[in-house]
Amino acid sequence: MIESPYRRGADDGLRFGLYLGVMFFASIFSTSFPLLSLLSLAMIVAVPGVVYAMMRRYERSLGPAASFAMLWMQGVVIFFCGMLVAGAALTVYMRWIEPGYLAGQLAALAALEGTMPGTFVDEAASVAAEMIEARFIPSAVSVVVELIMLSIVTGSALTVCLSALMSLRRRKTNLKTL
């Protein structure tokens, strides 16, 4: 029986959400434990490989029934469900555990104003200072919603590329066996 890409994506998305949660929290706590920044960076770089491994397992389970659309949909669902899990954890952290996290990050960025004139850092620091002055600090939920949307868009682009690579590889393998 062929497993639905939605079901498989949701199952893999739960695991991916835990992975993203560890990655996000490693990044957040890297200010206190600098070695966590290396873990976070390694996990960011490994995201395409992790998603590829999940998609490849699904492709193998489908055998010849695997299609580009099924693999792509599985990948999109992986990112959607994964970000829902990680987003829930981030919302809890930024809203109830450390409510001043976003304000602190904006203040740290604003403190960089004037340190690198003419660069993107100086521009971002200037915007952060204006946001603090206008008391326009985004809520934890709005930041997480933006992260979810960003993840779905970039995850969709990544999984369309991975699905295309898998389909081309499968086609090349099928041509060799003829």
Side-chain angles (χ1 to χ4, degrees):
M1 185 166 154
I2 295 177
E3 186 176 14
S4 162
Y6 304 105
R7 173 61 189 207
R8 185 64 176 259
D11 290 343
D12 289 340
L14 176 62
R15 287 189 287 277
F16 189 59
L18 297 174
Y19 179 89
L20 290 175
V22 169
M23 182 180 78
F24 290 149
F25 285 114
S27 176
I28 288 170
F29 294 125
S30 66
T31 56
S32 301
F33 305 102
L35 282 178
L36 287 178
S37 63
L38 292 175
L39 173 65
S40 178
L41 180 62
M43 291 179 81
I44 290 168
V45 170
V47 163
V50 169
V51 173
Y52 177 82
M54 291 176 180
M55 291 174 69
R56 181 76 175 116
R57 257 184 276 130
Y58 182 53
E59 180 193 34
R60 283 186 184 142
S61 73
L62 291 174
S67 70
F68 171 84
M70 290 175 80
L71 294 171
W72 186 21
M73 185 50 61
Q74 180 220 6
V76 170
V77 174
I78 287 171
F79 273 91
F80 180 77
C81 293
M83 272 308 296
L84 286 180
V85 170
L90 280 174
T91 301
V92 167
Y93 178 78
M94 290 190 293
R95 188 152 184 199
W96 291 291
I97 296 173
E98 190 176 342
Y101 178 75
L102 292 173
Q105 293 299 306
L106 278 175
L109 180 58
L112 295 175
E113 189 172 18
T115 59
M116 297 179 232
T119 64
F120 175 74
V121 172
D122 193 51
E123 177 83 21
S126 174
V127 170
E130 290 173 11
M131 287 174 70
I132 291 170
E133 185 178 319
R135 295 183 183 180
F136 185 67
I137 298 171
S139 68
V141 172
S142 65
V143 169
V144 169
V145 167
E146 292 293 328
L147 282 173
I148 289 171
M149 289 190 294
L150 174 68
S151 174
I152 291 169
V153 169
T154 57
S156 179
L158 172 65
T159 57
V160 77
C161 294
L162 293 176
S163 298
L165 287 173
M166 288 179 185
S167 294
L168 288 173
R169 183 186 36 75
R170 195 170 49 254
R171 181 176 292 162
K172 199 180 278 188
T173 304
N174 290 343
L175 289 175
K176 286 181 183 180
T177 57
L178 293 177

